Amino acid sequence: MIVTLTANPSLDRTVGLTGPLERGRVHRTERSTVDPGGKGINVARVLHAATTEVVAVLPANAGDPLLAALDEQGIAHRAVPTSGPTRNNITVAEPDGTTTKLNEPGTTCTGSTLGELHAALLECAQGAAWTVLSGSLPPGVPESWYADLVGDLRSLGCRIAVDTSERPLLALAERFPAAAPDVIKPNSDELAQLTGADAHELESGAAAGDVGAVVDAGRVLVERGVGAVLATLGGAGAVLVTATGAWRATADDVTVRSTVGAGDSSLAGYLLADQAGHTPDECLRLAVAYGTAAVTLPGTALPTPDSVDPSRVHVTDVHRRPRPLPSHS
């Protein structure tokens, strides 16, 4: 079983436009959908579609439309009471695949809610193969909370994946190696923040086919205790760095309809491959296949196994002499 935590869940409304978005203009829409959202819930949706047993842990009150949406999709969940309704996020999707997101901050998480959420997560994680900590933290939650959770989950024996950003990500890294997860999934900006690398160098190099700087940055995190670094690079594919090697994966060109949920789908694909006992390079292949499938779908739609084609993903070993890694006390 896999457990996901979404501390700041949402109801995601996607509005599809018939033409480009222009400020101050009235627009006609061609579609509107509402899905349960938040990064951990997105991971759970992809895993559930692949018939993997998953439980989504989240704060939400009885009767909240978010819980009804999860029930409708058949996703098992464990909700704890919170101080207000689920936030609503809006995605505006243009015909060329450009997406504009308007995300609310979320309901303030009180001390009692935080304690119950913590306890619920640990209870659900008993015996789980993986626990996934994903997304932003709502108002009222300490920036170091993910770091605290990693320490508590480690004692349960489950493996831990983390996908977050900004201060919660930096607070997690400040407590490496004690709080180092088994998998971390940064994008290029987050990888730069974690390692002091230059984000432009990471992005431009990967776009030109040279992922050496990405591999070097990933090795910094592995040296600090992270089990695997799954660095997603948008159209340039992804790089996986572990203690035993580094691999790059790229996919055949596709028509991009929406980038929402692509990173979450990549992480879910990695976990699915790991659960199946695949080698690291094949885990990367399925991660990129799922992320690629996600961008071909409209709005907040997420891939199912029949929309994923690993044969269109190309994986190569990255042979690069490691640069000296900085020491960390």
Side-chain angles (χ1 to χ4, degrees):
M1 183 180 71
I2 296 176
V3 178
T4 70
L5 171 68
T6 310
N8 203 13
S10 60
L11 274 173
D12 288 349
R13 177 177 295 277
T14 299
V15 178
L17 301 183
T18 58
L21 175 67
E22 297 182 54
R23 291 181 61 193
R25 297 289 300 274
V26 174
H27 293 276
R28 301 296 180 186
T29 64
E30 61 179 356
R31 68 181 183 277
S32 178
T33 60
V34 179
D35 289 299
K39 294 180 71 64
I41 288 176
N42 288 343
V43 172
R45 287 172 58 196
V46 176
L47 295 174
H48 174 73
T51 67
T52 294
E53 185 180 3
V54 61
V55 175
V57 179
L58 68 153
N61 296 315
D64 194 299
L66 173 61
L67 300 185
L70 290 172
D71 286 335
E72 183 177 346
Q73 296 193 14
I75 298 172
H77 54 272
R78 174 76 176 273
V80 304
T82 187
S83 60
T86 297
R87 63 180 176 147
N88 288 273
N89 293 340
I90 299 174
T91 298
V92 180
E94 299 176 54
D96 67 352
T98 300
T99 54
T100 302
K101 295 205 69 178
L102 306 174
N103 291 348
E104 295 183 353
T107 295
T108 298
C109 193
T110 63
S112 59
T113 297
L114 189 62
E116 290 186 40
L117 198 58
H118 192 146
L121 178 69
L122 296 185
E123 182 178 338
C124 290
Q126 294 279 353
W130 282 94
T131 297
V132 181
L133 312 178
S134 286
S136 63
L137 296 176
V141 177
E143 295 170 344
S144 61
W145 193 50
Y146 280 148
D148 296 336
L149 290 177
V150 169
D152 291 341
L153 289 165
R154 186 73 66 209
S155 65
L156 301 181
C158 64
R159 286 180 290 172
I160 305 160
V162 177
D163 180 13
T164 189
S165 60
E166 299 176 353
R167 284 302 309 162
L169 178 64
L170 296 178
L172 179 75
E174 287 170 1
R175 287 170 49 183
F176 288 172
D182 297 277
V183 173
I184 196 166
K185 197 213 70 59
N187 58 28
S188 56
D189 286 335
E190 293 156 357
L191 188 59
Q193 291 171 3
L194 285 170
T195 63
D198 182 270
H200 176 72
E201 178 187 354
L202 298 179
E203 294 174 1
S204 60
D210 180 5
V211 295
V214 177
V215 172
D216 285 342
R219 284 185 172 135
V220 170
L221 298 180
V222 170
E223 177 71 11
R224 296 184 63 194
V226 176
V229 179
L230 175 61
T232 52
L233 305 169
V239 168
L240 179 67
V241 182
T242 73
T244 60
W247 301 265
R248 183 198 183 186
T250 57
D252 292 343
D253 289 340
V254 297
T255 299
V256 176
R257 300 184 67 186
S258 172
T259 58
V260 177
D264 306 325
S265 299
S266 293
L267 179 54
Y270 179 93
L271 297 176
L272 287 169
D274 176 84
Q275 289 286 79
H278 291 182
T279 56
D281 58 318
E282 290 303 310
C283 289
L284 177 62
R285 183 189 303 278
L286 197 60
V288 171
Y290 263 88
T292 301
V295 303
T296 67
L297 300 172
T300 52
L302 296 174
T304 58
D306 59 3
S307 66
V308 175
D309 187 357
S311 70
R312 297 176 63 85
V313 176
H314 314 284
V315 181
T316 56
D317 286 326
V318 180
H319 300 288
R320 179 177 173 85
R321 177 177 298 175
R323 68 180 181 181
L325 293 173
S327 60
H328 297 275
S329 58

